[in-house]
Amino acid sequence: MHPALLLLTDSRLPAGGHAHSGGTEQAVTSGAVHDVPSLARFLRGRLHTAGALAAALAAAACAQAAGTPPATAPPHRHLTGEAGKAEKTWDADKTCKADATHEADETGDADAREARGDADPWVLLDREVDARTASPAQRDASRTQGRLLLRVARRVWPSPVLDELARAVPHPHHPVALGVAAHAAGAAPEDAALAAAYHAVSGPATAAVRLLGLDPVAVHGLLADLTPALRTVATAACLTVTTQHPDPAHPQPGLAHPQPHPENAHGYPDLTDAPPQPDPTGDSVRPDLAAAPAAQLGNVQVRWAALPAYSAPALDLLAEQHARAEIRLFVS
Amino acid sequence: MPGNTAHRATGRTDTPHAGTGSGRRVMRACAAVATASGPDGTPVLRRLASAPPLTLRQTGPCAVHLVSTAAGPLGGDRLALDLDVAPHTTLELGSVASTLVLPGEGVSELLVTARVGAGATLRFAPEPTVLAAGCEHRLLVRLALEPDASVLWREEIVFGRYGEASGRCHARFDVTCGGLPLLRQEFVVGEPALDASPAVYGAARCVGNTFLTASAGETVVADGVAVLPLALSGTLVSALAADAVQLRSRLEWGERAARTSMTAVAAGEREAGGSRIDDSGRRRIGGGRLADR
């Protein structure tokens, strides 16, 4: 584990994480979470769904950041005007002025690039996150936290790849911002995955203490009980990223491409497929007639198509009910 | 029947299950439906290939029902259903009964692949999948749409028969439009520690989803059901329920609520002179609320 991870997962990092309960507030309101045992069930479910998804996305973002050379923009993106603007944005941001204006500029840039059909790798990853987040309230919460984390990370760990992310996606989803920030801080995809998994349960646990007046020591005991699962989730997330998604454009020598994943042994040679994630039984067959839905787009565009997509229907419902609640202590 | 040019074929290839000694033959079957425009432009069924246990019966000019002609799927079975809806044609697919997934030797799998062409309409609404205790099932859905396709796709999963513990299931649902991802979801059912989590299914005994290509104008929430406008385009109705009857009524309520708000959106767009699907290549960054800041 990289020491920077301690900072990234610290609730004292001024990135606004304390304002989000990840559905806990609504679960408390509805009575579904009312004591330490029900909170334990809530946290375990959250870790293996939203947490496992965030871990895979953070690992993917970190791997993509690692595979992006410092002069991150592909040649066709080096339009003269844009490069100049990028410099200006960066300088302005360092002094923390005119943030909103520049974000608006960046949004305009992103739109313009998309209109030109530019397949920016950060935009592609962002779309994959969107497709995995059916609830609009959760998309908003994720982007709010991602934007704040990105702003903090650009000042704490200045890095061209963070600037690149901010240019392409000014309001990134939180796991993406976390993965790129982890890379900028010198951490590896597995660290990013671990941080994301921890983030999925630590904030909700603290929120429950504040909402229900639970014994903080008992709740930290729950988090301690979850630590083996945190590692399992992070390792599994990292495995899906490093073995199934080599970047065809930028081979990543620094990234482990070791033993083929069991799932690969059955043959997922192309990335145009969307195979299921590793089944506990390991008994997997790739059905031959499976049409490759996105084949026409080429490998780059569907690089992350097969990432996990774990859903938690109850969390979706809680998030939307919370967004409509009249009295709220937490943003989400 | 006029317009019926369906070609029927069976694709059953039973293979002895290696090393079980049970003598049961696992099933590997691949059924298919394809539509085409007839000579006078009306849509017809071009292909209707049954493969037991997936037997298909034409029940209308462009309507097909799945009739299960064998128990299961049972563990070890590999079933595939391929739907090809040609541009500007229509297909409705239902089933006459729910699918009961039973235990057996290993994992059973159902892969449903659907391609829906530009301007085509697909309604996929089979009866629920019931996970009998001890089953190990994998359900894969890959739905590839072209712009202007109109789709209703309903999935219902029931956690065991009445009073029964749930079998295990791993479901994955991928929807793309013109190659762009609209929705990717995975459900894992049958992990006792997770199923009862208030974050996952809570007290529910069934989970269901309806994917709609049209975009609902707003999020609507009621008890156990939410109408969720997706980021790029399309809508997901997501529901949890105590039983299959409640699940169906919640999904249908959500589908109606989505349609109501779509009608409002469509009216607004006609005034604006644009259509929703043309906008699908463009994306709201950060959602409306954030962008407004």
Side-chain angles (χ1 to χ4, degrees), chain A residues 213-257:
Chain A
L214 298 175
D215 173 7
V217 179
V219 171
H220 256 74
L222 296 182
L223 291 176
D225 290 344
L226 284 175
T227 48
L230 285 176
R231 179 167 291 288
T232 312
V233 163
T235 307
C238 222
L239 203 61
T240 63
V241 167
T242 52
T243 58
Q244 291 187 6
H245 304 86
D247 184 341
H250 306 290
Q252 298 158 27
L255 204 62
H257 270 285

Side-chain angles (χ1 to χ4, degrees), chain A residues 10-107:
Chain A
D10 192 333
S11 62
R12 287 161 292 192
L13 184 76
H18 62 276
H20 295 263
S21 80
T24 309
E25 182 168 31
Q26 190 62 31
V28 166
T29 306
S30 74
V33 170
H34 50 87
D35 56 6
V36 173
S38 57
L39 176 63
R41 288 195 297 275
F42 181 82
L43 293 179
R44 194 168 288 276
R46 203 173 193 290
L47 174 60
H48 286 276
T49 52
L53 173 61
L57 296 169
C62 190
Q64 182 158 297
T68 314
T72 37
H76 61 285
R77 310 238 338 262
H78 275 309
L79 304 177
T80 42
E82 225 165 276
K85 191 181 279 179
E87 288 279 341
K88 261 191 299 183
T89 308
W90 171 228
D91 286 336
D93 211 58
K94 263 200 286 201
T95 53
C96 233
K97 277 181 200 158
D99 193 36
T101 323
H102 282 276
E103 279 188 358
D105 280 359
E106 286 161 0
T107 312

Side-chain angles (χ1 to χ4, degrees), chain B:
Chain B
M1 182 179 297
N4 178 7
T5 57
H7 162 70
R8 290 192 169 83
T10 59
R12 182 178 184 138
T13 45
D14 291 4
T15 48
H17 196 294
T20 61
S22 66
R24 193 180 91 77
R25 294 155 83 86
V26 300
M27 287 185 158
R28 288 177 196 277
C30 180
V33 183
T35 64
S37 283
D40 56 348
T42 55
V44 295
L45 288 179
R46 177 172 65 80
R47 182 159 186 252
L48 194 65
S50 295
L54 300 176
T55 301
L56 300 161
R57 290 283 178 264
Q58 184 165 8
T59 47
C62 292
V64 173
H65 274 75
L66 265 169
V67 184
S68 204
T69 47
L74 278 68
D77 289 353
R78 296 271 185 268
L79 311 178
L81 174 63
D82 189 53
L83 309 176
D84 195 346
V85 189
H88 307 290
T89 63
T90 301
L91 177 65
E92 262 187 60
L93 199 135
S95 66
V96 297
S98 56
T99 301
L100 180 64
V101 187
L102 293 164
E105 312 284 342
V107 179
S108 55
E109 180 179 283
L110 172 62
L111 168 70
V112 186
T113 314
R115 290 168 302 281
V116 187
T121 302
L122 169 65
R123 182 186 163 86
F124 181 90
E127 297 305 308
T129 299
V130 182
L131 307 173
C135 80
E136 286 270 356
H137 191 47
R138 186 159 47 225
L139 173 62
L140 306 172
V141 175
R142 292 173 196 167
L143 180 53
L145 315 176
E146 285 175 27
D148 278 329
S150 168
V151 172
L152 179 148
W153 189 286
R154 192 191 288 148
E155 296 278 351
E156 295 164 315
I157 300 175
V158 179
F159 306 168
R161 290 167 288 193
Y162 181 75
E164 183 184 49
S166 180
R168 293 168 58 88
C169 177
H170 187 153
R172 170 132 185 167
F173 187 42
D174 284 273
V175 187
T176 58
C177 181
L180 297 176
L182 294 190
L183 176 66
R184 300 195 195 277
Q185 279 203 309
E186 259 175 295
F187 293 106
V188 177
V189 181
E191 295 277 354
L194 300 185
D195 288 357
S197 167
V200 187
Y201 307 120
R205 296 285 299 156
C206 344
V207 60
N209 274 322
T210 303
F211 167 78
L212 302 155
T213 41
S215 297
E218 55 175 0
T219 310
V220 187
V221 198
D223 203 19
V225 55
V227 178
L228 307 169
L230 299 174
L232 200 56
S233 74
T235 305
L236 183 73
V237 179
S238 173
L240 290 170
D243 57 49
V245 174
Q246 188 182 45
L247 181 68
R248 177 65 60 88
S249 81
R250 285 181 173 177
L251 284 175
E252 286 179 343
W253 179 89
E255 290 158 18
R256 281 194 303 274
R259 229 170 269 131
T260 309
S261 76
M262 277 161 209
T263 317
V265 169
E269 273 169 0
R270 264 197 303 278
E271 283 168 27
S275 92
R276 191 81 186 172
I277 205 87
D278 291 341
D279 290 341
S280 66
R282 289 174 56 82
R283 200 173 110 275
R284 288 181 309 155
I285 292 183
R289 252 193 273 173
L290 287 174
D292 290 342
R293 280 197 203 145

Side-chain angles (χ1 to χ4, degrees), chain A residues 118-155:
Chain A
D118 190 342
D120 185 289
W122 295 115
V123 171
L124 297 178
L125 180 57
D126 186 68
R127 279 192 196 128
E128 292 291 342
V129 186
D130 263 351
R132 285 163 174 77
T133 322
S135 144
Q138 288 191 335
R139 287 198 297 272
D140 280 357
S142 172
R143 288 191 188 279
T144 305
Q145 293 181 80
R147 183 176 58 88
L148 292 172
L149 176 59
L150 179 62
R151 193 159 65 183
V152 168
R154 287 176 78 183
R155 292 183 62 200

